[in-house]
Amino acid sequence: VKAAQSLFGRERTNDFFFLVAMVGAAQAPSSPAGNSMGMSKSYSTGTLKAAARASITSPMADGVEFPPLPKYLNVQRLTKNRKLTTSTGNLHGFMAEDYSQLNWPLPKMFGKEKYGYSMIDIDDPRYIKECALMSQKLIRLNYDSQIIDNKWRQTYKNLLDAEHRMRTLPANGAQKTKDILKKEVDGHLKTLIEFQQHKDMFEQEIKTVYEKCDAIKATIKKENDLEELRTEMEAATKQKISAESPFWKAKFNIRTVQPRQGEF
C-alpha cells in the first residue's frame, strides 16, 4: 500500500486497490519480445513501434544548460524510446520510464496499448523543465484515466445486462420485480454518467497539455525554418560575391540610408 501511495503521490480509494488486485489476477506472463529494443508489436495490436530518437530543439538553444531533472522525467535518459504510431493520436509521448522500471500489474496490463506514452519528447533545454512538469502531470492523468476507463466499462456492461433483464421480463411479471430492475438500471446509468464526466475532465486536461506541446513545437519549427533560410541565403550570397570582396568587411547597419520622417 505504501509503495502505491508513494508512486501516485496521494491516497487512493478502495476502488484503486480492488482494480490492482483484479488486474494482477488477469495479468498474463510477459513476452521476452515485449522488452526488445528492435521493431516489436504490442501484445494485442500492431501499433507499437520502436521510435528513432530525434532531437526536438533549435539553434536558439545553443549555450543553454540543461536543468537537473529526475531520471523518470528526463526524456534524454529514458531506458527505451518507444512511441505509438501517429494514427493512434499519440503525437508527443514516449513510453514513460515507469513501464521499464516497475514490475507490478497496473502499468503492465494496459500501458503498452495506450496509457504508457506520457513522456513528452521535446528536449530543447529552454523548455525541457516545463515539459518534464507536463510529463509528470500526464503520467498521473493516465494512471487515473486507466482506473476510470476500467470502471466505466464495467459499469456499462452492468447497465446493458440490467436493461436486457428488464426488457426480457414477462409482461405478467410482478410489479415489485419491475421496480427493482428499474431502480437497478437507473443506478447504473447515474454511475455511468459520473464516470463519463470524469473521463471528459481527464481528456480535457490531457488535451490542454498537448496544445501546449503543439505551441512549443510550432515555435521550434519556426526557429529552425528561419535558421535554414538564413543558411541558404548566406550560401547563395557567398557564391555570388568572392571572399576577397570588401562587401564582407563592411559593417552591417540595420538603419536605412534615408530615414523616414520622425526617425533619427
Side-chain angles (χ1 to χ4, degrees):
V1 173
K2 291 182 179 180
Q5 291 175 354
S6 63
L7 175 65
F8 283 77
R10 60 181 183 274
E11 294 284 348
R12 295 295 181 185
T13 61
N14 292 333
D15 287 340
F16 163 71
F17 297 105
F18 169 78
L19 177 61
V20 170
M22 180 188 68
V23 175
Q27 174 66 35
S30 60
S31 170
N35 297 325
S36 172
M37 289 296 291
M39 296 294 290
S40 58
K41 294 183 178 180
S42 57
Y43 296 130
S44 62
T45 68
T47 58
L48 192 61
K49 68 173 183 178
R53 186 69 184 94
S55 179
I56 300 180
T57 184
S58 80
M60 300 295 293
D62 292 344
V64 180
E65 295 184 359
F66 285 90
L69 297 170
K71 182 179 179 180
Y72 80 101
L73 292 178
N74 193 337
V75 70
Q76 295 184 322
R77 299 181 61 191
L78 293 177
T79 302
K80 298 177 182 178
N81 295 321
R82 309 185 74 178
K83 279 186 175 182
L84 291 175
T85 57
T86 54
S87 61
T88 63
N90 177 51
L91 303 178
H92 306 293
F94 283 117
M95 182 182 286
E97 189 67 11
D98 285 354
Y99 295 86
S100 300
Q101 298 294 331
L102 302 180
N103 294 309
W104 66 307
L106 187 57
K108 294 293 183 180
M109 188 66 183
F110 303 109
K112 292 184 178 180
E113 302 295 330
K114 176 181 179 182
Y115 303 98
Y117 303 88
S118 51
M119 180 59 64
I120 296 173
D121 56 359
I122 300 171
D123 56 0
D124 190 302
R126 298 169 299 168
Y127 305 107
I128 193 169
K129 186 173 182 179
E130 179 184 357
C131 291
L133 295 176
M134 290 193 293
S135 296
Q136 185 179 41
K137 183 177 181 180
L138 280 179
I139 290 171
R140 294 178 178 177
L141 285 172
N142 280 317
Y143 275 141
D144 290 344
S145 295
Q146 185 170 344
I147 297 171
I148 294 297
D149 287 349
N150 184 77
K151 299 297 290 184
W152 186 95
R153 289 190 295 267
Q154 187 181 43
T155 304
Y156 183 63
K157 291 178 182 179
N158 293 337
L159 175 63
L160 293 179
D161 178 68
E163 288 179 338
H164 175 73
R165 286 185 282 114
M166 185 174 68
R167 188 170 55 252
T168 57
L169 193 68
N172 58 352
Q175 184 62 37
K176 182 179 179 180
T177 304
K178 295 180 180 179
D179 294 340
I180 291 175
L181 289 176
K182 181 68 167 56
K183 184 177 179 180
E184 183 178 354
V185 169
D186 293 341
H188 289 316
L189 183 60
K190 180 180 178 181
T191 304
L192 187 67
I193 293 174
E194 292 176 355
F195 283 135
Q196 183 62 51
Q197 291 175 345
H198 282 80
K199 281 168 61 72
D200 294 341
M201 289 170 57
F202 287 131
E203 289 176 0
Q204 182 59 40
E205 290 295 325
I206 292 174
K207 181 181 178 182
T208 301
V209 173
Y210 283 167
E211 287 175 351
K212 292 181 181 178
C213 293
D214 289 335
I216 292 174
K217 287 186 176 180
T219 300
I220 293 175
K221 183 179 184 301
K222 183 177 180 180
E223 292 173 351
N224 286 327
D225 290 343
L226 290 174
E227 177 63 18
E228 182 180 357
L229 177 62
R230 184 195 67 79
T231 304
E232 291 179 357
M233 294 180 68
E234 181 181 0
T237 304
K238 287 182 178 180
Q239 290 179 356
K240 295 178 181 178
I241 305 175
S242 65
E244 292 77 15
S245 173
F247 171 83
W248 300 108
K249 298 179 182 179
K251 186 177 179 181
F252 181 72
N253 188 359
I254 62 172
R255 295 184 180 276
T256 180
V257 177
Q258 297 178 348
R260 290 175 297 179
Q261 186 177 3
E263 293 185 346
F264 297 97

